[in-house]
């Protein structure tokens, strides 16, 4: 039964060289309290957003609908696996915005909330930066893993573009070298926010 299982887990954690007692405390109630605290903060943020957009909500009964119930359940699930404040505020804005005229007939509302759940804080910063800059090229470093996730979620589109041509060669020798360089160098990779990504950013804005 549950009590027997809890006793076994507590016994195993007591054997940890460090951290066992802290994990046991987390499992015995602190985790639920943390999620409850985040939920209270979520509703506080949602209330503030609704105060800003209340004139854009055509039917407040939407928030008692089965559709909103699904969105709320996904948001609560997200609170269980993240403590990031920006993501919590993003979820609050999304829940509030879901009842506005602009998204009343948008069939992707559930997908938007699922997308929020799957984004890391780095992903969120990356997609916002790309949106602000319009397009970016040839990214390197750890941001590439974020870009790959954003592409798989449909938020960012990748394309290949030819490198910019160099200055007009001043001699036949330079012209030949320029031709070889342009023929052998790979194209640039360019990234921009997709149409779905733009709608998603509007949903969480």
């Amino acid at each position: 039964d549950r009590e027997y299982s809890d006793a076994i887990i507590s016994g195993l954690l007591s054997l940890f060289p460090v951290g066992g007692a802290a994990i046991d405390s987390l499992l015995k109630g602190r985790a639920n309290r943390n999620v409850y605290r985040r939920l209270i903060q979520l509703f506080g943020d949602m209330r503030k957003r609704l105060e800003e957009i209340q004139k854009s909500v055509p039917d407040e009964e939407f928030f008692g609908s089965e559709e909103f119930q699904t969105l709320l359940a996904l948001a609560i699930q997200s609170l269980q696996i993240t403590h990031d404040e920006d993501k919590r505020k993003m979820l609050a804005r999304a829940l509030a915005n879901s009842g506005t005229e602009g998204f009343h007939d948008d069939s992707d509302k559930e997908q938007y909330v699922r997308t929020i759940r799957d984004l890391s804080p780095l992903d969120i910063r990356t997609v916002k930066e790309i949106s602000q800059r319009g397009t970016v090229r040839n990214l390197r470093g750890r941001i590439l893993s974020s870009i790959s996730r954003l592409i798989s979620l449909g938020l960012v589109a990748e394309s290949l573009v030819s490198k910019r041509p160099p200055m007009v060669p001043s001699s036949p020798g330079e012209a030949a070298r320029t031709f070889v360089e342009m023929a052998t160098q790979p194209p640039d990779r360019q990234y921009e926010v997709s149409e779905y990504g733009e709608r998603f950013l509007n949903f969480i804005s």
Side-chain angles (χ1 to χ4, degrees), residues 79-94:
L79 294 179
Q80 294 174 329
I81 57 176
T82 183
H83 65 278
D84 184 69
E85 183 178 358
D86 288 340
K87 181 178 282 194
R88 189 197 72 232
K89 290 182 176 180
M90 189 182 301
L91 286 166
R93 290 193 298 271

Side-chain angles (χ1 to χ4, degrees), residues 6 16-18 27 41 49 59 68 85 99 102 110-111 121-122 125 128 133 137-138 146 170 173 181 183 192:
D6 290 345
F16 278 33
V18 292
L27 294 176
Q41 293 170 332
R49 178 60 181 162
D59 181 14
F68 182 76
E85 183 178 358
E110 180 179 336
Q111 187 58 41
L122 175 61
R125 291 194 299 271
K128 286 183 177 180
R133 293 171 59 180
R137 291 192 181 191
N138 295 338
S146 179
S170 59
E181 288 178 2
E192 59 186 343

Side-chain angles (χ1 to χ4, degrees), residues 40-58:
I40 292 174
Q41 293 170 332
L42 174 82
F43 286 139
D45 293 332
M46 185 180 173
R47 177 186 60 80
K48 292 177 183 177
R49 178 60 181 162
L50 286 171
E51 287 174 349
E52 298 171 355
I53 62 171
Q54 57 182 316
K55 292 182 180 179
S56 300
V57 178

